[in-house]
Short mmCIF file of all heavy atoms in Angstrom, two decimals:
data_model
loop_
_atom_site.label_atom_id
_atom_site.label_comp_id
_atom_site.label_asym_id
_atom_site.label_seq_id
_atom_site.Cartn_x
_atom_site.Cartn_y
_atom_site.Cartn_z
N LYS A 139 69.48 -26.40 57.84
CA LYS A 139 69.36 -26.51 56.37
C LYS A 139 67.95 -26.94 55.96
O LYS A 139 67.34 -26.37 55.08
CB LYS A 139 70.38 -27.56 55.86
CG LYS A 139 71.71 -26.94 55.50
CD LYS A 139 72.56 -27.94 54.74
CE LYS A 139 74.01 -27.82 55.18
NZ LYS A 139 74.70 -29.10 55.33
N ARG A 140 67.43 -27.96 56.66
CA ARG A 140 66.11 -28.48 56.29
C ARG A 140 65.01 -27.47 56.52
O ARG A 140 64.11 -27.31 55.71
CB ARG A 140 65.79 -29.72 57.14
CG ARG A 140 66.47 -30.96 56.64
CD ARG A 140 65.90 -32.14 57.36
NE ARG A 140 66.66 -33.33 57.06
CZ ARG A 140 66.61 -34.43 57.79
NH1 ARG A 140 65.84 -34.47 58.85
NH2 ARG A 140 67.32 -35.47 57.46
N LEU A 141 65.07 -26.77 57.67
CA LEU A 141 63.98 -25.85 57.99
C LEU A 141 64.01 -24.61 57.10
O LEU A 141 62.97 -24.06 56.75
CB LEU A 141 64.00 -25.46 59.47
CG LEU A 141 63.67 -26.60 60.44
CD1 LEU A 141 63.55 -26.08 61.85
CD2 LEU A 141 62.39 -27.31 60.07
N GLU A 142 65.21 -24.20 56.69
CA GLU A 142 65.28 -23.06 55.77
C GLU A 142 64.65 -23.44 54.44
O GLU A 142 63.96 -22.66 53.81
CB GLU A 142 66.73 -22.62 55.59
CG GLU A 142 67.20 -21.83 56.81
CD GLU A 142 68.54 -21.16 56.59
OE1 GLU A 142 69.45 -21.79 56.01
OE2 GLU A 142 68.67 -20.00 57.00
N LYS A 143 64.87 -24.68 54.04
CA LYS A 143 64.29 -25.18 52.79
C LYS A 143 62.76 -25.26 52.93
O LYS A 143 62.01 -24.88 52.04
CB LYS A 143 64.88 -26.55 52.47
CG LYS A 143 64.59 -27.03 51.09
CD LYS A 143 65.42 -28.25 50.76
CE LYS A 143 64.80 -29.02 49.62
NZ LYS A 143 65.19 -30.43 49.65
N ARG A 144 62.31 -25.77 54.12
CA ARG A 144 60.87 -25.92 54.34
C ARG A 144 60.17 -24.56 54.29
O ARG A 144 59.07 -24.44 53.81
CB ARG A 144 60.62 -26.58 55.70
CG ARG A 144 59.13 -26.78 55.99
CD ARG A 144 58.90 -27.69 57.17
NE ARG A 144 59.02 -26.99 58.44
CZ ARG A 144 58.96 -27.59 59.62
NH1 ARG A 144 58.81 -28.90 59.69
NH2 ARG A 144 59.06 -26.91 60.74
N LYS A 145 60.86 -23.54 54.79
CA LYS A 145 60.26 -22.20 54.80
C LYS A 145 59.88 -21.77 53.38
O LYS A 145 58.82 -21.20 53.15
CB LYS A 145 61.22 -21.19 55.42
CG LYS A 145 60.57 -19.80 55.55
CD LYS A 145 61.47 -18.84 56.25
CE LYS A 145 60.90 -17.44 56.24
NZ LYS A 145 59.59 -17.34 56.87
N THR A 146 60.76 -22.08 52.41
CA THR A 146 60.46 -21.66 51.04
C THR A 146 59.29 -22.47 50.46
O THR A 146 58.60 -22.01 49.57
CB THR A 146 61.69 -21.83 50.12
OG1 THR A 146 62.05 -23.22 50.11
CG2 THR A 146 62.88 -21.01 50.60
N ILE A 147 59.05 -23.65 51.01
CA ILE A 147 57.96 -24.48 50.48
C ILE A 147 56.65 -24.21 51.22
O ILE A 147 55.61 -23.98 50.63
CB ILE A 147 58.33 -25.98 50.58
CG1 ILE A 147 59.60 -26.26 49.76
CG2 ILE A 147 57.20 -26.86 50.07
CD1 ILE A 147 60.24 -27.61 50.04
N GLU A 148 56.70 -24.23 52.57
CA GLU A 148 55.46 -24.14 53.36
C GLU A 148 55.17 -22.73 53.87
O GLU A 148 54.09 -22.47 54.37
CB GLU A 148 55.54 -25.09 54.57
CG GLU A 148 55.56 -26.54 54.18
CD GLU A 148 55.61 -27.46 55.40
OE1 GLU A 148 55.25 -27.03 56.51
OE2 GLU A 148 56.02 -28.62 55.23
N ASN A 149 56.17 -21.86 53.80
CA ASN A 149 56.02 -20.49 54.29
C ASN A 149 55.51 -20.42 55.72
O ASN A 149 54.58 -19.67 56.03
CB ASN A 149 55.10 -19.71 53.34
CG ASN A 149 55.26 -18.22 53.55
OD1 ASN A 149 56.30 -17.78 54.05
ND2 ASN A 149 54.24 -17.45 53.21
N ARG A 150 56.07 -21.24 56.62
CA ARG A 150 55.68 -21.19 58.03
C ARG A 150 56.36 -20.02 58.72
O ARG A 150 57.57 -19.83 58.58
CB ARG A 150 56.06 -22.51 58.71
CG ARG A 150 54.94 -23.52 58.67
CD ARG A 150 55.35 -24.81 59.26
NE ARG A 150 55.85 -24.70 60.62
CZ ARG A 150 56.02 -25.76 61.40
NH1 ARG A 150 55.71 -26.97 60.96
NH2 ARG A 150 56.50 -25.63 62.61
#
Side-chain angles (χ1 to χ4, degrees):
K139 269 192 219 139
R140 281 191 189 162
L141 292 187
E142 283 191 318
K143 192 169 159 205
R144 181 168 82 186
K145 185 176 174 59
T146 61
I147 300 166
E148 293 181 21
N149 198 23
R150 268 177 56 167

